[in-house]
Amino acid sequence: GDSVTQMEGPVTLSEEAFLTINCTYTATGYPSLFWYVQYPGEGLQLLLKATKADDKGSNKGFEATYRKETTSFHLEKGSVQVSDSAVYFCALNTNAGKSTFGDGTTLTVKP
Amino acid sequence: GAGVSQSPRYKVAKRGQDVALRCDPISGHVSLFWYQQALGQGPEFLTYFQNEAQLDKSGLPSDRFFAERPEGSVSTLKIQRTQQEDSAVYLCASSLNEGAPQGYTFGSGTRLTVV
């Protein structure tokens, strides 16, 4: 079946550091790929998405590129801020509607 | 509404009680989903509605779980004879399009604690 594997956390960085959170997937067919973010005390929000190979999703300074050859969708940001502290979830969608999520990676950014 | 609204926000149930969790999706959103999120894990799919039709209920863990969306808008997830392993956050999500190819808008969830 479909699965998503995320880099284990927690991840702790200093402000302005470079961020990478790894995500790899296994899927039948050609999935769409997503990153969701959950800020403390809030619900999950869609951060960015890519629907086909080589697409790059981007939002709020975050980027991720759909790499079919390595079945990966790593999340990156060049300079993190304290306000980026949250839990990040990688997800895929192959069937009509149903998505498969990773277990989440907790990011803490210190001033 | 402006977002996906879930109620109650918190629910404590005694083992064996029945509970009903409500979801108000964004107005006009065709697709509605329920997910279960255990502590420290990602959301796990429960069921999917397209308008009032329940197209996929493959994730419902047992016949104690039942979901409905009778008029294609508000949805209710019902859990009968709750057990401790049902303790989790229940998330509702909606999407304008069929199948949610562009991703979901999530509600804030209902945290269910079974004691």
Side-chain angles (χ1 to χ4, degrees):
Chain A
D2 298 343
S3 67
V4 174
T5 301
Q6 281 184 239
M7 170 176 163
E8 283 193 25
V11 175
T12 303
L13 296 173
S14 297
E15 209 164 20
E16 298 184 3
F18 184 86
L19 169 70
T20 300
I21 300 178
N22 290 338
C23 172
T24 58
Y25 67 89
T26 303
T28 53
Y30 302 96
S32 295
L33 301 174
F34 305 89
W35 279 99
Y36 288 86
V37 58
Q38 187 169 30
Y39 297 104
E42 299 184 16
L44 277 82
Q45 302 174 23
L46 180 63
L47 180 60
L48 54 82
K49 62 181 181 286
T51 57
K52 61 183 188 296
D54 300 324
D55 270 1
K56 178 185 284 187
S58 61
N59 187 24
K60 299 182 180 181
F62 291 89
E63 293 183 340
T65 301
Y66 189 138
R67 301 289 188 198
K68 185 179 176 184
E69 64 276 12
T70 55
T71 62
S72 65
F73 192 55
H74 304 321
L75 182 68
E76 297 182 335
K77 186 174 185 181
S79 176
V80 294
Q81 305 300 312
V82 172
S83 57
D84 294 326
S85 298
V87 184
Y88 293 82
F89 293 90
C90 184
L92 66 83
N93 183 329
T94 54
N95 297 330
K98 177 180 178 178
S99 285
T100 300
F101 287 79
D103 283 338
T105 302
T106 300
L107 170 66
T108 302
V109 181
K110 297 189 173 181
Chain B
V4 178
S5 178
Q6 291 188 246
S7 60
R9 187 72 191 271
Y10 302 94
K11 176 70 178 177
V12 178
K14 291 185 178 179
R15 191 170 54 182
Q17 277 187 331
D18 297 349
V19 298
L21 312 180
R22 177 187 170 103
C23 173
D24 269 288
I26 293 173
S27 179
H29 275 201
V30 167
S31 298
L32 185 146
F33 307 85
W34 285 98
Y35 281 80
Q36 181 189 59
Q37 186 176 20
L39 189 63
Q41 297 184 16
E44 295 280 344
F45 173 80
L46 294 176
T47 188
Y48 161 45
F49 290 87
Q50 184 178 305
N51 296 307
E52 68 278 6
Q54 190 174 21
L55 297 189
D56 187 347
K57 55 180 180 180
S58 62
L60 296 176
S62 76
D63 60 6
R64 296 187 295 105
F65 287 71
F66 172 77
E68 61 183 3
R69 193 186 185 198
E71 298 179 357
S73 178
V74 172
S75 177
T76 304
L77 176 67
K78 297 179 180 178
I79 308 173
Q80 297 178 324
R81 305 180 304 281
T82 52
Q83 303 296 315
Q84 284 194 318
E85 61 263 28
D86 300 334
S87 295
V89 176
Y90 290 85
L91 299 170
C92 178
S94 70
S95 172
L96 179 63
N97 300 311
E98 298 173 6
Q102 301 298 321
Y104 305 143
T105 302
F106 277 96
S108 295
T110 294
R111 182 177 296 277
L112 173 65
T113 303
V114 181
V115 297

